[in-house]
Amino acid sequence: MTTAPPRRAAPASAAAAPPRAARRARRRGRPVALFLAPFLLLFAALYLAPIGYTVYQSLYRMHRSGLGLSAPTQAFVGLANYATALGDADFRGSLLRVLLIGVVQVPLMLLLALGLALLLDARSTLFKRFFRLAFFLPYALPGVVGAIMWSYLVAPGLSPITAAAHHLGLHLDLTSNALLGPTIGNMLTWGWTGYNMLIIYSALQAIPAELSEAATMDGCSAFGIAWRIKVPMVRPALVLTTVFSIIGTAQLYNEPAILHNVAPNLSSTYTPIYAAYDAVDANNFNAAATESVILALLAFVLSFGFLKIVQRRGAAL
Amino acid sequence: MNTPANTRPGLSRWVVLGVLLLASVYFLAPVWWLLVSSTKTNADLFTGNGFWFGHFALVDNLRQVFTQQGGIYWQWLANSALYAVGGAAVSTAIAAMAGYALAKYPFRGREFTFNTVLAAVLVPQPLLAVPLYLMFSQVHLVNTYWAVLLPSMVSPFGVYLARIYAGSSVPDELIEAGRLDGAGEFRIFATIALRVMSPALVTIFLFQFVAIWTNYLLPVLMLANDHLQPVTVGIVGWQSQRGIGPTAVPFNIVITAAMVSALPLVVLFLSLQRFWRSGLVAGSTK
């Protein structure tokens, strides 16, 4: 994760403060505590405690006596829940599924976002404001509304896409098992490309114009400028959007859950979060906790691993 | 904007325009479909061109949305407003104090605290939902307003933004001047710092408002009682009650209800563009 403090946040005033001011500041320890207390209390209760509680729950299992007459007891089972979860073909399938969706959808979406941002940034492009708003509009809709809308746009009998294909003599069912993955990938791409584009676009706009002008003087084409100057300079924005997208894919829930209403063939263990929620529904909290921990670890390893790879590559360049 | 000398006229410009138009069709067509469909009768949804109007029944659809299940849609909108306004207001106030303290008071453990908060920005929210549900069910908070309100009050991203903004825009001289005038630390914060930080506070409020309004997994886990649910959970509930029987909800109601629930956010985004762009930019410099 981000260990270095952000560049802009460097508190020059504090670092450069004369010793007298520092001493006086230390005497003001009380107000700091009062200012921080509400946030830290809630943060501990609603962020740190749940994480700790999940890990704890994942190491225990409820034991019920044969007749269920006495209260169930909690017993420490070590990593047995993890073995059960990873031994569960449905859960393994859900992990593989989000991995596959992530590997295909995230690069496609970010390439699209980068391409659109570069086109919007090009000097001769017309109607920039309109296009920027058009691409961003999906992000302004609640995810659930987008998912409901798309579920109807692909639902057999209601879908204008299926109807159009039918007119062309094609039989197309976007909710069939084979096409569920692409359908969900499309829902994600539609919803998040504009958000990512805007982050990249903002970074592009921070590049000084003289740089492109100098390159143009040297006879560099618009494409050359984009590829050789602009893309390398928006690397931090690309890294950030990739990390956010990896984390976003790991928490895939709304889209499959809502698509399930029009595609009953979509199983309730389609994604890991969906599977964990299903376990909560079945009152199997220990399994839900275990699956949550596995998913959190996976998301952490992937996003952190990506950062490491990028950093190593960056150092080599 | 264009300097004629640098603009190569003709083909490339039209190609760019064509590509951008194609992309905007991809992003706008589904929204257009939603708008058009919200004006159709249930029967019309299954016939004719999905992207063009049929029998204009928007008013009737709206009436049905707001009378379905005893007019509960009003309650859902009110609940969403309560969660989003209440949660965002409290989290913004708390984040402002924490961010200000992290930016303006040197103390031991400051960087560690800040880095922990920063790491929390990367924790996927749905992963917290399940353990929170387990914890809340033990203290009997499940199925209460607090089950959704309490988690909405914490915004690590807000603290991050508040710290950056306070660090760069609240001058130490101003704080020092306040102290010389004999003002207490909290008074300085409330009367001077908050005013200077107000653009950042609007941004934090806006982002948190949107996050809460669009949240689905947390409230659907926490709230089994229809009357406590926000509009997102309510609509999905209706969507799943398809088919036949006395509780069936026709498609046209779900579509119109979905369209109506998106309106507040679209209006908010369009009217406060300045603020959400600055929020995104702050994110991209991380």
Side-chain angles (χ1 to χ4, degrees), chain B residues 9 28 65 72 100 127 146 150 165 172 187 226 238 257 270:
Chain B
L28 292 180
V65 165
I72 200 170
Y100 173 75
L127 288 178
W146 294 109
L150 279 176
Y165 202 84
D172 288 332
R187 206 187 137 103
D226 279 357
W238 274 357
L270 290 180

Side-chain angles (χ1 to χ4, degrees), chain A residues 13-14 24 28 32 47 53-54 123-124 132 144-145 151-152 186 190 198 240 251 254 261 277 285, chain B residues 2-3 13 26-27 105 110 125-126 131 134 138 172 176 179 185 221 236 239 242 261 276-277 280 283:
Chain A
S13 54
R24 219 185 315 144
R28 278 192 289 270
V32 178
Y47 262 83
Y53 190 65
T54 317
R123 194 194 297 225
S124 62
R132 208 179 63 208
V144 162
V145 170
S151 72
Y152 289 155
N186 171 59
W190 183 84
L198 214 72
L240 181 85
Q251 49 185 288
N254 290 357
N261 286 336
Y277 180 37
F285 299 139
Chain B
N2 299 311
T3 42
R13 186 187 230 182
Y26 170 61
F27 291 113
Y105 295 95
R110 178 164 84 161
Q125 293 294 318
L134 299 179
Q138 289 196 348
D172 288 332
E176 215 42 62
R179 282 177 189 145
E185 298 298 317
L221 267 173
V236 176
Q239 193 217 12
R242 66 209 175 287
S261 80
W276 53 254
R277 280 201 68 192
L280 286 178

Side-chain angles (χ1 to χ4, degrees), chain A residues 88-95 97 256 266-276 278-279 291:
Chain A
D88 179 4
D90 279 349
F91 185 66
R92 274 205 317 269
S94 75
L95 286 177
R97 216 168 279 128
L266 193 155
S267 77
S268 61
T269 51
Y270 195 81
T271 68
I273 291 276
Y274 204 169
D278 203 44
E291 292 173 355

Side-chain angles (χ1 to χ4, degrees), chain A residues 1-9 11 13-14 22 24-25 28 31-32 34-36 38-40 42-43 45-51 53-54 57 112 116 119-120 123-145 148-153 157-158 160 186 189-190 193-195 198-199 201-203 205 213 216 221-222 236-237 240 243-244 247 250-251 253-254 257-258 260-262 264 273 276-277 280 285 288-289 292 295-296 299, chain B residues 1-3 6-8 13-14 16-17 19-21 23-24 26-28 30-31 33-34 45-46 50-51 94-95 97-98 100-107 110-111 113-128 130-136 138 150-151 153-156 159-160 163-164 168 172 176 179 185-186 189 207 210 213-214 216-217 220-221 232 235-236 239-240 242 251 254-255 258-259 261-262 265-266 269-270 273 276-277 280-286:
Chain A
M1 307 210 176
T2 325
T3 43
R7 263 167 290 149
R8 271 179 38 206
S13 54
R24 219 185 315 144
R28 278 192 289 270
V32 178
L34 287 179
F35 281 130
L36 278 171
F39 175 75
L40 289 183
L42 284 171
F43 184 68
L46 300 161
Y47 262 83
L48 303 180
I51 293 173
Y53 190 65
T54 317
Q57 283 277 334
L112 183 61
L116 292 177
L119 289 182
L120 271 191
R123 194 194 297 225
S124 62
T125 301
L126 301 167
F127 314 122
K128 287 184 189 192
R129 216 179 119 78
F130 165 77
F131 285 124
R132 208 179 63 208
L133 280 178
F135 301 161
F136 193 72
L137 184 63
Y139 178 70
L141 296 188
V144 162
V145 170
I148 288 178
M149 191 187 71
W150 274 106
S151 72
Y152 289 155
L153 278 169
L158 203 60
N186 171 59
T189 306
W190 183 84
T193 301
Y195 171 85
L198 214 72
I199 292 180
Y201 179 68
S202 301
Q205 293 208 304
E213 273 159 27
T216 313
S221 69
L240 181 85
V243 169
F244 278 177
I247 294 165
Q251 49 185 288
Y253 174 79
N254 290 357
I258 286 165
H260 175 76
N261 286 336
V262 301
I273 291 276
Y277 180 37
V280 171
F285 299 139
S292 296
L295 184 62
Chain B
M1 287 285 270
N2 299 311
T3 42
N6 283 331
T7 312
R8 278 175 304 152
R13 186 187 230 182
W14 293 111
V16 167
L17 199 61
V19 172
L20 290 176
L21 274 176
S24 52
Y26 170 61
F27 291 113
L28 292 180
V31 182
W33 177 89
L34 185 72
L45 287 171
F46 295 89
F51 290 101
I94 290 175
M97 283 198 289
Y100 173 75
L102 286 171
K104 289 295 166 189
Y105 295 95
F107 60 93
R110 178 164 84 161
E111 287 313 308
T113 309
F114 185 60
N115 285 332
T116 311
V117 172
L118 213 54
V121 175
L122 295 181
V123 174
Q125 293 294 318
L127 288 178
L128 295 175
V130 170
L132 274 177
Y133 170 78
L134 299 179
M135 288 168 58
F136 280 8
Q138 289 196 348
L150 279 176
M153 291 174 178
V154 201
S155 167
V159 174
Y160 165 76
R163 177 191 166 153
I164 291 202
S168 66
D172 288 332
E176 215 42 62
R179 282 177 189 145
E185 298 298 317
F186 190 80
F189 167 73
F207 270 72
V210 171
W213 188 281
T214 56
Y216 173 71
L217 185 65
V220 83
L221 267 173
T232 46
I235 295 174
V236 176
Q239 193 217 12
S240 61
R242 66 209 175 287
F251 288 100
V254 179
I255 288 172
M259 196 273 291
S261 80
L265 283 190
V266 174
F269 269 108
L270 290 180
Q273 279 189 57
W276 53 254
R277 280 201 68 192
L280 286 178
V281 174
S284 68
T285 54
K286 221 176 338 192

